[in-house]
Amino acid sequence: MGCFQSKTTHLASPDQDPPIADPANGEEQEEHSVPGFKEFGLADLRAATNGFSSELIVSECGEKAPNVVYRGKLRNNRLVAIKRFSKLSWPDPNQFLTEASGVGKVRHKRLVNLIGCCAEGDERLLVAEYMPNDTLSKHLFHWEKQPLPWEMRLRVAYYIAQALDHCNAENRKLYHDLNAYRVLFDEEGDPRLSSFGLMKNSRDGKSYSTNLAYTPPEFLRTGRVIPESVIYSYGTVLLDLLSGKHIPPSHALDMIRGKNLLLLMDSSLEGQYANEDAAELVELASKCLQYEARDRPDVKFLLSAVATLQKQQEVASHTLMGLTKTPVVLPTMLSPLGKACVQMDLTAVHEILLKTGYKDEEGAENELSFQEWTQQVQDMLNTKKFGDIAFRDKDFKNAIEYYSKLVSMMSVPSGTIFVRRALSYLMIGQPELALRDAMQAQVCLPEWPTSFYMQALALSKLGMETDAQDMLNDGASFEVKRQNSWRG
């Protein structure tokens, strides 16, 4: 769930109230500059999400989830996560506002802090800090470049225990459905616990959205969440950290009892961990997953147990995770196409590509320009014509069909054709193929800003925001280079 991070992310909005002054927590308020909790107007949040555009959905819960999380940008350019509940949730607006403001007072550097809410008409929305570096689920189960290092897994266990300990101290002892999706990574690469899980159960919500195999036994028996249920869920997260997979606790406990620890451990770590540390974490997970709630340890015990396992505290999280820690800011010089790609406005991108046509390829080697006039050339021209008509008329499936045929006919394909097919793929929800075509466009025209912007757009659709930002910067650089060459 990443996004482009504004330099103003931690600055209070001129139209916001000052941060809540909490004498007991003043040091942390000052350190993190989290804006004070406020009630937003629905119009503000609608504008922040481009009308709750499906393009800005970042929730990994799937279509069947009753609630959806959007990435949004407030008027002061602060990036936020906006959770929109289903129509039936929280029928009493006052109850919702009271609960949200209570959670909004629980501030900590290990929490994704809640900064606002909205209750207008049937709408119920929460606004929280935005975390640009994805979820624990993504880094454990769906990693691309490297598995989450062992030391980082230990840090996750520690930081989440710190967050739970703080919640306990604030008399917020119930956390609903603690799992790998609830842990997110901030711009520093530090793991934080989502504050959404602190909200009490709404009328149609469920305390546990995950498979019943991962649900605390007492919840299955009574339908109630108790503080010890949170400990059980913490134990399932420890299993995730150990195995790199979402293993049902009953299966994991069978492996632990059978002393088959190697089967439990994540093979992608390739043994890069201390056996005694792994054994301690396995033992802690076993204690958390006890069937009887009274047999599980408390949060203070968890905190002290995982604190002793922290061996590389001086190494920054972004370094451990292999993240490039750069200020994620939009390039200062972007063409209208670059801006449209940043905003993921596919309609605007389409209009700009139509206006630009093929003029960016003037002077480039093109098979249609040099080949003898044969029937083959006529066929290619007709195929291109039909592809362009389909593209103009937003018939993107046919555009893909004609452009694909054209690519197979030409030995020197056109960068514009690849870019148009890339947008067509995006329009029908296939960002992987769009990225491939945008990269092919770069091969055709190595310094063409359009190909970089389209790669950035496809990467954003795929949730790879750091790579998208790099592509935007490259496109902007070539834009500057082109402007300078024109002036010269």
Side-chain angles (χ1 to χ4, degrees):
M1 300 185 344
C3 188
F4 309 118
Q5 189 73 18
S6 166
K7 282 183 177 179
T8 60
T9 294
H10 291 305
L11 298 180
S13 168
D15 63 353
Q16 285 179 330
D17 296 328
I20 297 170
D22 183 353
N25 202 25
E27 184 178 336
E28 283 182 321
Q29 283 289 340
E30 183 177 345
E31 179 183 353
H32 298 285
S33 301
V34 182
F37 184 89
K38 64 174 285 187
E39 189 174 344
F40 288 89
L42 181 58
D44 292 333
L45 300 187
R46 186 177 282 121
T49 56
N50 292 336
F52 298 108
S53 168
S54 60
E55 307 291 336
L56 296 176
I57 292 176
V58 295
S59 172
E60 297 183 73
C61 297
E63 294 179 1
K64 294 182 180 179
N67 314 309
V68 181
V69 180
Y70 297 84
R71 174 186 59 199
K73 182 183 283 189
L74 302 178
R75 284 183 297 172
N76 64 345
N77 286 330
R78 175 184 283 274
L79 292 168
V80 290
I82 299 174
K83 183 168 185 174
R84 188 186 194 190
F85 289 89
S86 67
K87 298 294 183 184
L88 297 176
S89 297
W90 300 96
D92 182 348
N94 292 326
Q95 181 191 18
F96 176 77
L97 291 172
T98 299
E99 180 67 12
S101 61
V103 173
K105 293 175 183 176
V106 184
R107 297 298 174 89
H108 196 264
K109 61 185 176 181
R110 304 295 182 226
L111 285 174
V112 181
N113 295 291
L114 203 61
I115 60 177
C117 68
C118 173
E120 283 188 27
D122 292 333
E123 295 286 356
R124 306 287 182 265
L125 302 111
L126 296 175
V127 184
E129 296 177 286
Y130 189 76
M131 301 290 106
N133 282 313
D134 293 311
T135 64
L136 177 60
S137 175
K138 174 74 178 292
H139 290 290
L140 275 181
F141 311 139
H142 311 293
W143 53 272
E144 293 160 358
K145 296 179 181 177
Q146 67 172 44
L148 195 65
W150 177 248
E151 286 297 332
M152 196 64 216
R153 299 182 193 211
L154 294 177
R155 186 169 296 178
V156 169
Y158 182 44
Y159 282 15
I160 300 314
Q162 286 184 320
L164 293 175
D165 182 56
H166 177 74
C167 292
N168 269 16
E170 295 289 313
N171 203 29
R172 288 273 170 178
K173 297 182 179 180
L174 299 184
Y175 190 94
H176 301 270
D177 203 10
L178 173 59
N179 59 51
Y181 292 101
R182 297 282 200 185
V183 180
L184 303 101
F185 293 85
D186 64 19
E187 61 275 12
E188 302 289 335
D190 287 333
R192 299 216 222 163
L193 185 61
S194 170
S195 55
F196 292 155
L198 291 171
M199 293 287 290
K200 284 179 183 173
N201 195 13
S202 59
R203 185 169 71 178
D204 75 327
K206 294 180 179 178
S207 292
Y208 289 90
S209 62
T210 49
N211 189 296
L212 293 179
Y214 307 93
T215 303
E218 62 277 3
F219 181 78
L220 293 176
R221 293 196 305 267
T222 68
R224 290 181 59 247
V225 180
I226 59 177
E228 290 80 7
S229 305
V230 184
I231 304 299
Y232 186 93
S233 296
Y234 181 82
T236 67
V237 174
L238 292 185
L239 291 183
D240 294 344
L241 294 169
L242 286 161
S243 66
K245 296 182 284 293
H246 206 33
I247 301 177
S250 59
H251 295 179
L253 289 172
D254 286 342
M255 282 188 265
I256 292 169
R257 292 188 195 102
K259 309 283 187 196
N260 294 323
L261 297 189
L262 280 179
L263 290 178
L264 180 63
M265 297 303 296
D266 189 348
S267 59
S268 69
L269 289 171
E270 298 179 342
Q272 298 299 306
Y273 54 85
N275 288 331
E276 57 273 18
D277 289 350
E280 284 193 43
L281 212 59
V282 167
E283 178 66 20
L284 188 60
S286 300
K287 290 176 178 174
C288 292
L289 296 170
Q290 291 298 305
Y291 184 82
E292 294 295 340
R294 64 177 177 271
D295 294 333
R296 299 170 202 155
D298 60 18
V299 173
K300 289 292 185 187
F301 181 90
L302 299 181
L303 187 59
S304 61
V306 291
T308 60
L309 300 177
Q310 308 304 307
K311 305 289 172 59
Q312 295 188 28
Q313 297 182 62
E314 73 286 352
V315 182
S317 294
H318 64 84
T319 302
L320 283 176
M321 295 181 71
L323 298 173
T324 303
K325 185 179 177 296
T326 54
V328 188
V329 293
L330 295 178
T332 53
M333 180 173 181
L334 281 177
S335 66
L337 177 61
K339 291 176 182 175
C341 288
V342 168
Q343 295 163 356
M344 293 198 281
D345 186 343
L346 299 186
T347 301
V349 172
H350 180 247
E351 291 173 357
I352 292 167
L353 292 183
L354 279 178
K355 289 178 183 176
T356 304
Y358 291 81
K359 69 180 183 181
D360 284 332
E361 291 192 270
E362 292 173 2
E365 183 181 346
N366 189 303
E367 191 169 350
L368 293 176
S369 304
F370 297 105
Q371 199 165 8
E372 290 183 25
W373 198 261
T374 63
Q375 185 59 44
Q376 181 185 0
V377 173
Q378 186 62 54
D379 289 344
M380 282 194 286
L381 287 172
N382 286 336
T383 302
K384 175 181 174 294
K385 175 184 175 182
F386 292 136
D388 288 344
I389 290 172
F391 184 78
R392 180 198 67 196
D393 294 342
K394 301 183 180 180
D395 182 3
F396 296 111
K397 289 186 177 179
N398 273 326
I400 290 170
E401 185 176 334
Y402 284 117
Y403 287 148
S404 298
K405 183 178 179 182
L406 185 60
V407 167
S408 68
M409 297 168 75
M410 300 174 67
S411 60
V412 184
S414 152
T416 301
I417 295 295
F418 279 123
V419 157
R420 287 184 166 211
R421 192 171 72 172
L423 180 63
S424 299
Y425 277 129
L426 286 172
M427 287 292 193
I428 64 171
Q430 296 188 34
E432 297 90 351
L433 296 177
L435 177 60
R436 183 193 66 182
D437 272 3
M439 293 170 71
Q440 286 295 326
Q442 183 189 341
V443 172
C444 296
L445 300 167
E447 296 189 1
W448 190 26
T450 298
S451 66
F452 290 93
Y453 291 147
M454 290 301 295
Q455 286 179 67
L457 178 54
L459 287 163
S460 291
K461 290 286 187 181
L462 290 166
M464 301 168 65
E465 297 298 346
T466 301
D467 294 327
Q469 184 66 45
D470 290 341
M471 285 296 152
L472 276 174
N473 289 334
D474 288 344
S477 297
F478 286 121
E479 201 92 64
V480 171
K481 183 176 179 180
R482 175 182 285 193
Q483 292 284 349
N484 290 340
S485 67
W486 289 341
R487 292 192 190 102

